[in-house]
Amino acid sequence: MARTRTTDADDLPRFFVWVRGLEGPEPQKWTSMDFGIGDWKRPTVLAYLELPVDERRLSLSMLARRYPPPRVDLL
């Protein structure tokens, strides 16, 4: 019988994040460590949402349909 391994990384909060991309908002999945220390990544983050355990395995396209990108007004 195969065992499933759990690591500390499996217990980290997961986030669905919209970041500023070259052609508009881009969806990504991050852990809390991906936010970095300090303000160096904040200008690229448009919106984020902590994912419930049952949504963590969903694909980016499914999450993007559930949680559409924020409206970004271009200058």
Side-chain angles (χ1 to χ4, degrees):
M1 184 171 2
R3 282 175 132 183
T4 57
R5 282 183 14 180
T6 58
T7 62
D8 293 337
D10 293 334
D11 298 332
L12 293 174
R14 306 277 185 212
F15 295 88
F16 176 67
V17 181
W18 283 102
V19 297
R20 192 177 313 272
L22 294 176
E23 298 180 16
E26 295 179 4
Q28 296 181 357
K29 284 185 186 179
W30 288 10
T31 64
S32 56
M33 293 186 298
D34 292 325
F35 283 97
I37 298 172
D39 294 339
W40 71 277
K41 277 195 180 177
R42 286 200 184 132
T44 64
V45 175
L46 299 173
Y48 66 93
L49 169 77
E50 186 170 352
L51 291 171
V53 176
D54 59 332
E55 290 186 351
R56 291 180 184 174
R57 297 193 186 271
L58 295 178
S59 68
L60 281 176
S61 61
M62 290 183 77
L63 289 169
R65 282 193 294 273
R66 279 188 189 191
Y67 307 110
R71 183 169 173 222
V72 179
D73 294 328
L74 301 175
L75 298 175

